[in-house]
Short mmCIF file of all heavy atoms in Angstrom, two decimals:
data_model
loop_
_atom_site.label_atom_id
_atom_site.label_comp_id
_atom_site.label_asym_id
_atom_site.label_seq_id
_atom_site.Cartn_x
_atom_site.Cartn_y
_atom_site.Cartn_z
N MET Q 248 77.10 80.61 84.46
CA MET Q 248 78.38 81.34 84.58
C MET Q 248 78.69 81.80 86.02
O MET Q 248 79.53 81.63 86.56
CB MET Q 248 78.49 82.33 83.34
CG MET Q 248 79.83 83.06 83.56
SD MET Q 248 81.15 82.06 83.05
CE MET Q 248 82.46 83.16 83.14
N MET Q 249 77.61 82.56 86.47
CA MET Q 249 77.76 83.16 87.76
C MET Q 249 77.87 82.09 88.86
O MET Q 249 78.64 82.29 89.83
CB MET Q 249 76.57 84.15 88.05
CG MET Q 249 76.67 84.93 89.31
SD MET Q 249 78.12 85.99 89.15
CE MET Q 249 77.49 87.53 89.55
N GLN Q 250 77.13 81.00 88.67
CA GLN Q 250 77.05 79.99 89.68
C GLN Q 250 78.44 79.44 89.79
O GLN Q 250 79.01 79.06 90.83
CB GLN Q 250 76.01 78.93 89.40
CG GLN Q 250 75.94 77.96 90.54
CD GLN Q 250 74.71 77.02 90.27
OE1 GLN Q 250 74.37 76.82 89.16
NE2 GLN Q 250 74.27 76.36 91.31
N ALA Q 251 79.15 79.06 88.55
CA ALA Q 251 80.53 78.61 88.52
C ALA Q 251 81.43 79.56 89.19
O ALA Q 251 82.38 79.03 89.90
CB ALA Q 251 80.80 78.22 87.13
N LEU Q 252 81.37 80.83 88.89
CA LEU Q 252 82.29 81.84 89.48
C LEU Q 252 82.05 81.80 91.01
O LEU Q 252 83.17 81.94 91.63
CB LEU Q 252 82.01 83.22 88.88
CG LEU Q 252 82.92 84.33 89.46
CD1 LEU Q 252 84.37 84.09 88.98
CD2 LEU Q 252 82.39 85.67 88.84
N MET Q 253 80.96 81.71 91.57
CA MET Q 253 80.74 81.76 92.95
C MET Q 253 81.37 80.48 93.56
O MET Q 253 81.93 80.41 94.69
CB MET Q 253 79.22 81.92 93.39
CG MET Q 253 78.71 83.25 92.90
SD MET Q 253 79.53 84.64 93.72
CE MET Q 253 78.91 84.29 95.44
N THR Q 254 81.22 79.37 92.97
CA THR Q 254 81.66 78.15 93.51
C THR Q 254 83.23 78.23 93.51
O THR Q 254 83.82 77.72 94.44
CB THR Q 254 81.21 76.95 92.49
OG1 THR Q 254 79.79 76.86 92.43
CG2 THR Q 254 81.74 75.64 92.99
N LEU Q 255 83.77 78.72 92.45
CA LEU Q 255 85.34 78.85 92.41
C LEU Q 255 85.79 79.75 93.55
O LEU Q 255 86.86 79.54 94.26
CB LEU Q 255 85.77 79.27 91.14
CG LEU Q 255 85.80 78.25 90.02
CD1 LEU Q 255 86.20 78.85 88.65
CD2 LEU Q 255 86.68 77.03 90.32
N THR Q 256 85.17 80.99 93.75
CA THR Q 256 85.47 81.78 94.68
C THR Q 256 85.43 81.33 96.15
O THR Q 256 86.25 81.40 96.91
CB THR Q 256 84.55 83.07 94.69
OG1 THR Q 256 84.66 83.66 93.39
CG2 THR Q 256 84.87 84.07 95.71
N LEU Q 257 84.34 80.47 96.44
CA LEU Q 257 84.28 79.79 97.70
C LEU Q 257 85.31 78.71 97.86
O LEU Q 257 85.83 78.47 99.03
CB LEU Q 257 82.86 79.29 97.83
CG LEU Q 257 81.80 80.16 98.14
CD1 LEU Q 257 80.36 79.63 98.12
CD2 LEU Q 257 81.95 81.01 99.37
N ALA Q 258 85.58 77.95 96.82
CA ALA Q 258 86.64 76.90 96.79
C ALA Q 258 87.95 77.46 97.13
O ALA Q 258 88.76 76.82 97.82
CB ALA Q 258 86.54 76.09 95.61
N TRP Q 259 88.29 78.57 96.54
CA TRP Q 259 89.72 79.20 96.60
C TRP Q 259 89.88 80.20 97.77
O TRP Q 259 90.91 80.73 97.95
CB TRP Q 259 90.10 79.76 95.25
CG TRP Q 259 90.30 78.78 94.24
CD1 TRP Q 259 90.62 77.47 94.53
CD2 TRP Q 259 90.39 79.02 92.87
NE1 TRP Q 259 90.79 76.93 93.19
CE2 TRP Q 259 90.67 77.76 92.21
CE3 TRP Q 259 90.25 80.09 92.10
CZ2 TRP Q 259 90.78 77.70 90.92
CZ3 TRP Q 259 90.38 80.05 90.69
CH2 TRP Q 259 90.63 78.71 90.17
N SER Q 260 88.73 80.57 98.58
CA SER Q 260 88.87 81.55 99.47
C SER Q 260 89.78 81.32 100.65
O SER Q 260 90.36 82.17 101.21
CB SER Q 260 87.50 81.94 100.21
OG SER Q 260 86.97 80.82 100.69
N GLY Q 261 90.02 80.00 100.89
CA GLY Q 261 90.88 79.61 101.95
C GLY Q 261 92.43 79.99 101.59
O GLY Q 261 93.26 80.11 102.47
N TYR Q 262 92.75 79.96 100.36
CA TYR Q 262 94.21 80.34 99.95
C TYR Q 262 94.53 81.77 100.35
O TYR Q 262 95.70 81.99 100.35
CB TYR Q 262 94.32 80.11 98.50
CG TYR Q 262 94.23 78.46 98.12
CD1 TYR Q 262 93.27 78.01 97.40
CD2 TYR Q 262 95.30 77.70 98.53
CE1 TYR Q 262 93.18 76.68 97.14
CE2 TYR Q 262 95.29 76.25 98.22
CZ TYR Q 262 94.33 75.78 97.59
OH TYR Q 262 94.29 74.51 97.22
N ALA Q 263 93.57 82.58 100.52
CA ALA Q 263 94.01 83.92 100.78
C ALA Q 263 94.60 84.01 102.18
O ALA Q 263 95.53 84.91 102.44
CB ALA Q 263 92.67 84.83 100.84
N TRP Q 264 94.31 83.05 103.09
CA TRP Q 264 95.04 83.08 104.39
C TRP Q 264 96.14 82.09 104.51
O TRP Q 264 96.68 81.87 105.43
CB TRP Q 264 93.97 82.61 105.36
CG TRP Q 264 92.91 83.55 105.44
CD1 TRP Q 264 91.56 83.45 104.90
CD2 TRP Q 264 92.72 84.89 106.00
NE1 TRP Q 264 90.72 84.50 105.09
CE2 TRP Q 264 91.44 85.35 105.87
CE3 TRP Q 264 93.65 85.60 106.78
CZ2 TRP Q 264 91.10 86.66 106.29
CZ3 TRP Q 264 93.26 86.85 107.14
CH2 TRP Q 264 92.08 87.37 107.01
N ALA Q 265 96.60 81.53 103.28
CA ALA Q 265 97.55 80.45 103.34
C ALA Q 265 99.13 80.88 103.51
O ALA Q 265 99.84 80.18 103.99
CB ALA Q 265 97.58 79.67 101.94
N HIS Q 266 99.41 82.23 103.33
CA HIS Q 266 100.75 82.57 103.45
C HIS Q 266 100.98 83.18 104.75
O HIS Q 266 100.06 83.86 105.44
CB HIS Q 266 101.16 83.65 102.38
CG HIS Q 266 100.47 84.85 102.48
ND1 HIS Q 266 99.29 85.11 101.73
CD2 HIS Q 266 100.86 86.09 102.96
CE1 HIS Q 266 98.90 86.33 102.15
NE2 HIS Q 266 99.74 86.95 102.75
N PRO Q 267 102.24 83.00 105.45
CA PRO Q 267 102.45 83.46 106.77
C PRO Q 267 102.79 84.91 106.74
O PRO Q 267 103.04 85.57 105.73
CB PRO Q 267 103.71 82.60 107.18
CG PRO Q 267 104.44 82.39 105.88
CD PRO Q 267 103.31 82.23 104.81
N GLY Q 268 102.75 85.56 107.99
CA GLY Q 268 103.17 86.91 108.12
C GLY Q 268 102.03 87.76 108.57
O GLY Q 268 100.95 87.51 108.16
N GLU Q 269 102.43 88.76 109.29
CA GLU Q 269 101.42 89.69 109.78
C GLU Q 269 101.43 90.94 108.92
O GLU Q 269 102.32 91.22 108.24
CB GLU Q 269 101.86 90.27 111.27
CG GLU Q 269 101.85 89.13 112.25
CD GLU Q 269 100.29 88.81 112.59
OE1 GLU Q 269 99.49 89.62 112.54
OE2 GLU Q 269 100.11 87.61 112.86
N HIS Q 270 100.30 91.61 108.89
CA HIS Q 270 100.12 92.87 107.96
C HIS Q 270 100.12 94.15 108.79
O HIS Q 270 99.73 95.01 108.26
CB HIS Q 270 98.85 92.66 107.23
CG HIS Q 270 98.71 91.44 106.32
ND1 HIS Q 270 99.43 91.49 105.07
CD2 HIS Q 270 98.29 90.31 106.39
CE1 HIS Q 270 99.31 90.42 104.47
NE2 HIS Q 270 98.56 89.59 105.16
N HIS Q 271 100.77 94.04 109.96
CA HIS Q 271 100.85 95.24 110.88
C HIS Q 271 102.20 95.77 110.76
O HIS Q 271 103.06 95.22 110.38
CB HIS Q 271 100.58 94.85 112.28
CG HIS Q 271 99.26 94.07 112.51
ND1 HIS Q 271 98.02 94.67 112.40
CD2 HIS Q 271 98.89 92.81 112.77
CE1 HIS Q 271 97.06 93.90 112.55
NE2 HIS Q 271 97.57 92.70 112.83
N GLY Q 272 102.30 97.06 110.99
CA GLY Q 272 103.56 97.79 110.94
C GLY Q 272 103.48 99.00 110.12
O GLY Q 272 102.45 99.57 109.86
N SER Q 273 104.55 99.46 109.67
CA SER Q 273 104.71 100.68 108.84
C SER Q 273 104.27 100.48 107.52
O SER Q 273 104.13 99.35 106.95
CB SER Q 273 106.11 101.27 108.98
OG SER Q 273 106.98 100.43 108.28
N ALA Q 274 104.24 101.62 106.68
CA ALA Q 274 103.97 101.53 105.34
C ALA Q 274 105.01 100.86 104.50
O ALA Q 274 104.79 100.01 103.57
CB ALA Q 274 103.68 103.04 104.72
N GLY Q 275 106.15 100.99 104.91
CA GLY Q 275 107.42 100.27 104.24
C GLY Q 275 107.22 98.78 104.53
O GLY Q 275 107.62 98.06 103.63
N ASP Q 276 106.96 98.37 105.76
CA ASP Q 276 106.70 96.92 105.96
C ASP Q 276 105.64 96.38 105.01
O ASP Q 276 105.82 95.26 104.47
CB ASP Q 276 106.46 96.61 107.50
CG ASP Q 276 107.58 96.94 108.40
OD1 ASP Q 276 108.75 96.90 107.86
OD2 ASP Q 276 107.30 97.09 109.59
N ALA Q 277 104.51 97.08 104.91
CA ALA Q 277 103.41 96.57 104.09
C ALA Q 277 103.92 96.51 102.56
O ALA Q 277 103.59 95.53 101.93
CB ALA Q 277 102.25 97.59 104.22
N LEU Q 278 104.58 97.57 102.24
CA LEU Q 278 105.02 97.50 100.78
C LEU Q 278 106.13 96.35 100.53
O LEU Q 278 106.12 95.67 99.55
CB LEU Q 278 105.85 98.84 100.48
CG LEU Q 278 106.13 99.02 99.01
CD1 LEU Q 278 104.97 99.01 98.14
CD2 LEU Q 278 106.85 100.42 98.82
N LEU Q 279 107.06 96.19 101.52
CA LEU Q 279 107.91 95.08 101.51
C LEU Q 279 107.22 93.68 101.39
O LEU Q 279 107.45 92.79 100.64
CB LEU Q 279 108.84 94.99 102.66
CG LEU Q 279 109.95 93.98 102.66
CD1 LEU Q 279 110.88 94.20 101.44
CD2 LEU Q 279 110.85 94.01 103.88
N HIS Q 280 106.18 93.56 102.25
CA HIS Q 280 105.35 92.37 102.28
C HIS Q 280 104.73 92.06 100.87
O HIS Q 280 104.70 90.96 100.29
CB HIS Q 280 104.24 92.34 103.31
CG HIS Q 280 103.37 91.29 103.24
ND1 HIS Q 280 103.68 89.97 103.69
CD2 HIS Q 280 102.03 91.19 102.75
CE1 HIS Q 280 102.63 89.13 103.48
NE2 HIS Q 280 101.71 89.89 102.99
N LEU Q 281 104.06 93.17 100.27
CA LEU Q 281 103.50 93.15 99.01
C LEU Q 281 104.40 92.73 97.84
O LEU Q 281 104.09 91.96 96.94
CB LEU Q 281 102.68 94.42 98.63
CG LEU Q 281 101.45 94.61 99.52
CD1 LEU Q 281 101.03 96.05 99.03
CD2 LEU Q 281 100.50 93.75 99.20
N MET Q 282 105.66 93.15 97.88
CA MET Q 282 106.64 92.90 96.88
C MET Q 282 107.37 91.62 97.05
O MET Q 282 108.01 91.24 96.21
CB MET Q 282 107.61 94.09 96.80
CG MET Q 282 106.81 95.40 96.36
SD MET Q 282 105.96 95.11 94.90
CE MET Q 282 106.82 96.09 93.74
N SER Q 283 107.25 91.04 98.28
CA SER Q 283 108.06 89.82 98.59
C SER Q 283 107.29 88.52 98.42
O SER Q 283 107.84 87.45 98.33
CB SER Q 283 108.79 89.86 99.88
OG SER Q 283 107.75 89.84 100.92
N GLU Q 284 106.03 88.61 98.44
CA GLU Q 284 105.09 87.43 98.36
C GLU Q 284 104.57 87.16 96.95
O GLU Q 284 104.16 88.12 96.28
CB GLU Q 284 103.93 87.59 99.14
CG GLU Q 284 104.18 87.69 100.73
CD GLU Q 284 104.48 86.45 101.36
OE1 GLU Q 284 104.24 85.41 100.83
OE2 GLU Q 284 105.25 86.37 102.28
N PRO Q 285 105.13 86.11 96.36
CA PRO Q 285 104.59 85.69 94.99
C PRO Q 285 103.17 85.92 94.61
O PRO Q 285 102.89 86.38 93.55
CB PRO Q 285 104.97 84.35 94.66
CG PRO Q 285 105.97 84.01 95.78
CD PRO Q 285 105.64 84.98 97.07
N ASP Q 286 102.35 85.54 95.53
CA ASP Q 286 100.93 85.60 95.25
C ASP Q 286 100.52 87.13 95.14
O ASP Q 286 99.66 87.54 94.24
CB ASP Q 286 100.14 84.97 96.14
CG ASP Q 286 100.10 85.35 97.70
OD1 ASP Q 286 101.32 86.00 97.96
OD2 ASP Q 286 99.38 85.09 98.49
N HIS Q 287 101.13 87.92 95.99
CA HIS Q 287 100.84 89.43 95.87
C HIS Q 287 101.30 90.10 94.61
O HIS Q 287 100.66 90.92 94.03
CB HIS Q 287 101.38 90.25 97.04
CG HIS Q 287 100.66 89.83 98.34
ND1 HIS Q 287 99.31 89.63 98.54
CD2 HIS Q 287 101.21 89.53 99.61
CE1 HIS Q 287 99.00 89.36 99.80
NE2 HIS Q 287 100.07 89.31 100.40
N VAL Q 288 102.57 89.53 94.25
CA VAL Q 288 103.16 90.22 92.98
C VAL Q 288 102.24 89.83 91.96
O VAL Q 288 102.00 90.66 90.95
CB VAL Q 288 104.64 89.77 92.72
CG1 VAL Q 288 105.10 90.15 91.59
CG2 VAL Q 288 105.46 90.34 94.02
N ALA Q 289 101.79 88.54 91.78
CA ALA Q 289 101.01 88.18 90.71
C ALA Q 289 99.71 88.89 90.62
O ALA Q 289 99.20 89.41 89.49
CB ALA Q 289 100.63 86.61 90.81
N LEU Q 290 99.17 89.22 91.79
CA LEU Q 290 97.93 89.98 91.78
C LEU Q 290 98.09 91.43 91.41
O LEU Q 290 97.38 92.03 90.60
CB LEU Q 290 97.32 89.97 93.19
CG LEU Q 290 95.85 90.57 93.27
CD1 LEU Q 290 94.88 89.89 92.39
CD2 LEU Q 290 95.42 90.56 94.79
N LEU Q 291 99.20 92.01 91.72
CA LEU Q 291 99.60 93.38 91.36
C LEU Q 291 99.80 93.41 89.80
O LEU Q 291 99.34 94.41 89.15
CB LEU Q 291 100.92 93.85 92.00
CG LEU Q 291 100.78 94.23 93.52
CD1 LEU Q 291 102.20 94.51 94.06
CD2 LEU Q 291 99.80 95.35 93.71
N ILE Q 292 100.47 92.48 89.17
CA ILE Q 292 100.72 92.42 87.71
C ILE Q 292 99.30 92.20 87.02
O ILE Q 292 99.11 92.90 86.06
CB ILE Q 292 101.62 91.27 87.45
CG1 ILE Q 292 103.04 91.63 87.82
CG2 ILE Q 292 101.65 91.05 85.91
CD1 ILE Q 292 103.96 90.43 87.75
N ALA Q 293 98.53 91.42 87.57
CA ALA Q 293 97.15 91.09 87.02
C ALA Q 293 96.28 92.41 86.96
O ALA Q 293 95.62 92.78 86.12
CB ALA Q 293 96.42 89.98 87.70
N ALA Q 294 96.37 93.08 88.09
CA ALA Q 294 95.67 94.33 88.23
C ALA Q 294 96.24 95.50 87.31
O ALA Q 294 95.38 96.19 86.67
CB ALA Q 294 95.74 94.95 89.67
N ALA Q 295 97.44 95.53 87.17
CA ALA Q 295 98.11 96.47 86.22
C ALA Q 295 97.66 96.07 84.66
O ALA Q 295 97.26 96.92 83.97
CB ALA Q 295 99.61 96.39 86.23
N VAL Q 296 97.49 94.89 84.41
CA VAL Q 296 97.24 94.47 82.99
C VAL Q 296 95.75 94.73 82.81
O VAL Q 296 95.38 95.29 81.81
CB VAL Q 296 97.48 92.95 82.76
CG1 VAL Q 296 96.87 92.51 81.45
CG2 VAL Q 296 99.03 92.76 82.78
N VAL Q 297 94.91 94.44 83.79
CA VAL Q 297 93.36 94.68 83.62
C VAL Q 297 93.15 96.18 83.59
O VAL Q 297 92.45 96.73 82.66
CB VAL Q 297 92.69 94.00 84.78
CG1 VAL Q 297 91.19 94.54 84.75
CG2 VAL Q 297 92.68 92.47 84.61
N GLY Q 298 94.01 96.93 84.37
CA GLY Q 298 93.78 98.36 84.37
C GLY Q 298 94.23 98.94 83.09
O GLY Q 298 93.58 99.92 82.41
N GLY Q 299 95.25 98.51 82.54
CA GLY Q 299 95.81 99.08 81.27
C GLY Q 299 94.85 98.59 80.01
O GLY Q 299 94.58 99.65 79.22
N LEU Q 300 94.29 97.43 80.14
CA LEU Q 300 93.49 97.13 79.07
C LEU Q 300 92.06 97.90 79.11
O LEU Q 300 91.59 98.37 78.20
CB LEU Q 300 93.10 95.63 79.12
CG LEU Q 300 94.24 94.63 78.64
CD1 LEU Q 300 93.93 93.13 78.92
CD2 LEU Q 300 94.63 94.90 77.24
N GLY Q 301 91.64 98.12 80.36
CA GLY Q 301 90.47 98.86 80.53
C GLY Q 301 90.68 100.35 80.08
O GLY Q 301 89.78 100.93 79.46
N GLY Q 302 91.82 100.93 80.36
CA GLY Q 302 92.12 102.40 79.85
C GLY Q 302 92.19 102.25 78.31
O GLY Q 302 91.64 103.20 77.69
N LEU Q 303 92.81 101.27 77.74
CA LEU Q 303 92.77 101.22 76.24
C LEU Q 303 91.34 101.14 75.69
O LEU Q 303 91.00 101.83 74.66
CB LEU Q 303 93.63 100.01 75.80
CG LEU Q 303 95.11 100.23 75.79
CD1 LEU Q 303 95.77 98.99 75.46
CD2 LEU Q 303 95.63 101.40 75.06
N MET Q 304 90.46 100.35 76.31
CA MET Q 304 89.19 100.30 75.82
C MET Q 304 88.38 101.59 76.01
O MET Q 304 87.50 102.02 75.06
CB MET Q 304 88.44 99.15 76.52
CG MET Q 304 88.86 97.74 76.11
SD MET Q 304 88.19 96.37 77.26
CE MET Q 304 86.37 96.76 76.96
N MET Q 305 88.59 102.19 77.01
CA MET Q 305 87.89 103.47 77.15
C MET Q 305 88.31 104.49 76.22
O MET Q 305 87.57 105.30 75.81
CB MET Q 305 88.15 104.12 78.74
CG MET Q 305 87.35 103.23 79.75
SD MET Q 305 87.69 103.87 81.35
CE MET Q 305 86.87 105.33 81.26
N ARG Q 306 89.62 104.59 75.83
CA ARG Q 306 90.17 105.53 74.87
C ARG Q 306 89.56 105.18 73.55
O ARG Q 306 88.99 106.15 72.80
CB ARG Q 306 91.55 105.39 74.70
CG ARG Q 306 92.46 106.18 75.82
CD ARG Q 306 93.84 106.09 75.39
NE ARG Q 306 94.74 106.63 76.47
CZ ARG Q 306 96.01 106.73 76.49
NH1 ARG Q 306 96.64 106.16 75.46
NH2 ARG Q 306 96.55 107.41 77.46
N ARG Q 307 89.52 103.91 73.19
CA ARG Q 307 88.83 103.53 71.88
C ARG Q 307 87.31 103.88 71.79
O ARG Q 307 86.96 104.45 70.80
CB ARG Q 307 89.08 102.08 71.64
CG ARG Q 307 90.49 101.72 71.32
CD ARG Q 307 90.55 100.25 70.86
NE ARG Q 307 91.90 99.94 70.58
CZ ARG Q 307 92.26 98.68 70.18
NH1 ARG Q 307 91.44 97.71 70.25
NH2 ARG Q 307 93.57 98.50 69.90
N ARG Q 308 86.72 103.70 72.94
CA ARG Q 308 85.21 104.09 72.85
C ARG Q 308 85.10 105.57 72.77
O ARG Q 308 84.19 106.04 72.22
CB ARG Q 308 84.57 103.53 74.16
CG ARG Q 308 84.27 101.98 74.07
CD ARG Q 308 83.48 101.57 75.25
NE ARG Q 308 83.23 100.15 75.21
CZ ARG Q 308 82.49 99.48 75.97
NH1 ARG Q 308 81.84 100.16 76.92
NH2 ARG Q 308 82.23 98.22 75.86
N ALA Q 309 85.85 106.36 73.48
CA ALA Q 309 85.85 107.77 73.50
C ALA Q 309 86.07 108.28 72.04
O ALA Q 309 85.42 109.18 71.53
CB ALA Q 309 86.70 108.37 74.51
N LYS Q 310 87.13 107.63 71.48
CA LYS Q 310 87.45 108.11 70.09
C LYS Q 310 86.30 107.74 69.10
O LYS Q 310 86.12 108.56 68.21
CB LYS Q 310 88.78 107.40 69.67
CG LYS Q 310 89.45 107.89 68.42
CD LYS Q 310 90.79 107.21 68.23
CE LYS Q 310 91.51 107.78 67.06
NZ LYS Q 310 92.63 107.09 66.83
N ALA Q 311 85.74 106.56 69.29
CA ALA Q 311 84.67 106.23 68.34
C ALA Q 311 83.51 107.17 68.55
O ALA Q 311 82.78 107.54 67.68
CB ALA Q 311 84.31 104.76 68.61
N ALA Q 312 83.18 107.54 69.87
CA ALA Q 312 82.08 108.39 70.18
C ALA Q 312 82.26 109.74 69.51
O ALA Q 312 81.27 110.48 69.00
CB ALA Q 312 81.86 108.48 71.64
N ARG Q 313 83.40 110.30 69.65
CA ARG Q 313 83.77 111.56 68.95
C ARG Q 313 83.65 111.65 67.60
O ARG Q 313 83.15 112.48 66.87
CB ARG Q 313 85.26 112.01 69.42
CG ARG Q 313 85.50 112.52 70.76
CD ARG Q 313 86.85 113.26 70.97
NE ARG Q 313 87.88 112.32 70.62
CZ ARG Q 313 88.58 111.75 71.70
NH1 ARG Q 313 88.28 111.84 72.86
NH2 ARG Q 313 89.50 110.92 71.26
N ARG Q 314 84.06 110.45 66.91
CA ARG Q 314 83.91 110.34 65.40
C ARG Q 314 82.43 110.35 65.06
O ARG Q 314 81.93 110.95 64.08
CB ARG Q 314 84.57 109.20 64.92
CG ARG Q 314 86.07 109.40 64.58
CD ARG Q 314 86.69 108.08 63.68
NE ARG Q 314 87.50 107.44 64.70
CZ ARG Q 314 87.51 106.17 64.87
NH1 ARG Q 314 86.76 105.46 64.11
NH2 ARG Q 314 88.29 105.59 65.63
N MET Q 315 81.46 109.68 65.90
CA MET Q 315 80.24 109.48 65.62
C MET Q 315 79.40 110.81 65.67
O MET Q 315 78.73 111.17 64.78
CB MET Q 315 79.57 108.46 66.51
CG MET Q 315 78.13 108.15 66.28
SD MET Q 315 77.41 106.76 67.21
CE MET Q 315 77.45 107.52 68.88
N PHE Q 316 79.80 111.57 66.71
CA PHE Q 316 79.15 112.85 66.82
C PHE Q 316 79.73 113.93 65.92
O PHE Q 316 79.12 114.93 65.68
CB PHE Q 316 79.19 113.37 68.26
CG PHE Q 316 78.31 112.57 69.15
CD1 PHE Q 316 78.85 111.75 70.30
CD2 PHE Q 316 77.00 112.53 69.08
CE1 PHE Q 316 78.11 111.05 71.15
CE2 PHE Q 316 76.09 111.74 69.83
CZ PHE Q 316 76.68 111.09 70.89
N LYS Q 317 80.91 113.66 65.53
CA LYS Q 317 81.57 114.57 64.63
C LYS Q 317 81.00 114.74 63.30
O LYS Q 317 80.80 115.68 62.52
CB LYS Q 317 83.10 114.37 64.42
CG LYS Q 317 83.90 115.48 63.80
CD LYS Q 317 85.30 115.15 63.92
CE LYS Q 317 86.17 116.17 63.25
NZ LYS Q 317 87.59 115.91 63.38
N ASP Q 318 80.62 113.37 62.69
CA ASP Q 318 80.09 113.35 61.39
C ASP Q 318 78.67 113.71 61.14
O ASP Q 318 77.86 114.25 61.80
CB ASP Q 318 80.12 111.86 60.95
CG ASP Q 318 81.58 111.48 60.77
OD1 ASP Q 318 82.36 112.40 60.43
OD2 ASP Q 318 81.80 110.21 60.84
#
């Protein structure tokens, strides 16, 4: 599994440099760039989903641990 993941990472690493544009300038320029490029928007959405699911999992584990020690 790890070998397949590394192979895919190496195969797709060139796509990170595929979109045009400089990343220099003010914070507003950087934010505009992040919100205007479809690949960045997709990554932001994916990060929000993964973060939300991780938060839910942590809450469930904490709740289960409290129940276990309460009894």
